Amino acid sequence: MEGEKRPAPYEGLFADGHLVLWTLCSVLLPVFITFWCSLQRSRRQLHRRDIFRKSKHGWRDTDLFSHPTYCCVCAQHILQGAFCDCCGLRVDEGCLKKADKRFHCKEIMLKNDSKALDAMHHHWIRGNVPLCSYCVVCKQQCGSQPKLCDYRCIWCQKTVHDECMKNSLKNEQCDFGEFKNLIIPPSYLTSINQMRKDKKTDYAVLASKLGKQWTPLIILANSRSGTNMGEGLLGEFRILLNPVQVFDVTKTPPVKALQLCTLLPYYSARVLVCGGDGTVGWVLDAVDEMKIKGQEKYIPQVAVLPLGTGNDLSNTLGWGTGYAGEIPVAQVLRNVMEADGVKLDRWKVQVTNKGYYNLRKLKEFTMNNYFSVGPDALMALNFHAHREKAPSLFSSRILNKAVYLFYGTKDCLVQECKDLNKKVELELDGERVELPNLEGIIVLNIGYWGGGCRLWEGMGDETYPLARHDDGLLEVVGVYGSFHCAQIQVKLANPFRIGQAHTVRLILKCSMMPMQVDGEPWAQGPCTVTITHKTHALMLYFSGEQTDDDISSTSDPEDTKETEPTEEPRRKNVPTPTAMFGPRDRSSLVFDWTQEAHPQTSRQADYPLGFVFTKCLCNL
């Protein structure tokens, strides 16, 4: 035992040192590699941002294209790169700087002031043409080869094969293609700039050279509306039109964007609003400011591309209940060209609070769609409060409607707005109206409410005059609660029709009640609400798309002729207000003001709560 050798102390230390060294390497090396990669990535991002900031192109980063894409510089397949949302140029990340120097983007104004309006040539970009395009020479499909091939003019969108491209095409004058009546040519802005220097304002002389059908279109898109499609739509419109015509209202307010109308001939401009009803109201307020400035001759006609959640105004004007990319942007522009001009009533809503010592604070709103007090305003108030806390969670139209449904179900159990008839007084054109036991009152200017429901016409055999948005009349209805609203949504009930009037006055005598104007809710104390006519707005109505209600109303013309009154004028007040709550035995469900029984009880027995809200979920 004594003869055994013990290991030297330094040998054990040396082995432990190796272990520590390898441990440090295994831990620190991945950390170092990760740090170095993130540093290089940040440098590349800073380099790209610097190029984007100085470039005249509208570069956007992307690593995902809808179809195989090739770099316009090196002709290689792009895995990670950028594209210009004005001219459609696509390049690899490493070729970005070369492409920025070699290729020019769309010019919103020509540099040479001496050029005439009809002297602009094609601006060809090679490769990545749309797969559905055809050559203007041989009429065969373009862009079908798996490589960088064929040309596209970024103004008229014409395409041509490599082998069909001739010198005559390169020097040919561009006519701006299908949408020439919507595009503001760069040469027009150049001439306008020269005229303003000479202190001339007769723009009609320049417009006469562009033809009588020239109705330039201005795009006002809200990139935050509804499903957050606005940013992608901005790029698609910039490719088809002059980029100077396309604005993001979150960056350029409508008041500033609409000043472009003052550079156009009288009554020629059109505006396409891409957003929800709130965005449309924002734009119409900017149009009213143009009237105040004395710019009535430059007032544009307004069309709507619905990106919001409800989109009732858009539905009333024939533009549909919501846009999710189901039709191409080019078809949207064609619809705008085919649309007809109509008028839209706009109303002034004055809310006067009852303060101490007879001091009253006045709030004023502008109404395009509807005003309401009661359960639907409460649902909008709860939804608005949660969206303000986490706006990123409310980017889906279906999710937003599901949230509304949740709060409606909750209010069915709580009934926070009950006994509204004891808290308010209602006057139509100065005449006091006795109310039954309601929970909500809705004042309508347009035909649709609640995301596509025909509230005033309703359903059933009883005929009511059609609600119009240009007759200077308001339709006033009542609801018996959130459950009643749900029944109306799924066409199992009608509202309580109170009447029609030119002026509506509502007095809230006590307590706090939720109110809303066009989806903008707030909690209101005792006050007086007065709704009077304010002005008209020039809108565009598209008749090429029918809703389900329109189709059903026109499917049986013989019945319509028998029941619809033709000679009787529209009634200001409905003489015997009734409330029909379902399609079963309608004669026994007519509400009489002398009855004390609440009519909602029988309807809840006919259609259980679960059945009604299941149908609501199916309609989302």
Side-chain angles (χ1 to χ4, degrees), residues 60 83 85-86 219-241 243 245-248 272-276 304-308 322-333 397:
R60 295 290 184 270
F83 71 98
D85 63 358
C86 293
I219 307 295
L220 301 180
N222 190 342
S223 57
R224 300 175 183 174
S225 289
T227 55
N228 292 332
M229 292 185 61
E231 188 172 353
L233 288 172
L234 285 168
E236 295 188 53
F237 282 120
R238 289 191 186 105
I239 290 177
L240 296 176
L241 305 174
Q245 301 173 237
V246 184
F247 298 91
D248 185 353
L272 176 61
V273 181
C274 307
V304 184
L305 184 64
L307 301 182
Y323 179 77
E326 61 275 7
I327 61 175
V329 172
Q331 184 60 43
V332 174
L333 296 180
R397 187 180 292 120

Side-chain angles (χ1 to χ4, degrees), residues 388-423:
E388 288 294 319
K389 295 179 181 178
S392 60
L393 299 179
F394 295 86
S395 59
S396 171
R397 187 180 292 120
I398 296 179
L399 178 61
N400 293 348
K401 290 186 177 182
V403 173
Y404 268 103
L405 179 63
F406 167 76
Y407 285 118
T409 308
K410 177 183 175 182
D411 187 61
C412 285
L413 304 176
V414 180
Q415 292 184 326
E416 297 183 26
C417 304
K418 62 181 179 180
D419 298 328
L420 180 67
N421 58 309
K422 300 177 182 179
K423 302 174 183 178

Side-chain angles (χ1 to χ4, degrees), residues 126-193:
R126 187 165 185 260
N128 303 308
V129 301
L131 297 177
C132 58
S133 57
Y134 292 87
C135 178
V136 296
V137 178
C138 66
K139 309 303 180 183
Q140 298 298 319
Q141 186 176 4
C142 288
S144 58
Q145 302 181 30
K147 64 177 182 178
L148 187 74
C149 62
D150 305 336
Y151 290 86
R152 174 182 60 90
C153 177
I154 62 177
W155 284 107
C156 64
Q157 309 303 320
K158 291 180 180 178
T159 55
V160 60
H161 290 125
D162 291 330
E163 56 272 14
C164 296
M165 176 62 75
K166 304 175 183 178
N167 291 331
S168 58
L169 281 176
K170 291 183 179 179
N171 298 324
E172 186 182 31
Q173 294 179 1
C174 182
D175 61 354
F176 295 99
E178 181 183 3
F179 304 115
K180 61 182 178 181
N181 292 328
L182 302 180
I183 296 175
I184 301 177
S187 52
Y188 177 85
L189 296 177
T190 303
S191 302
I192 290 292
N193 191 31

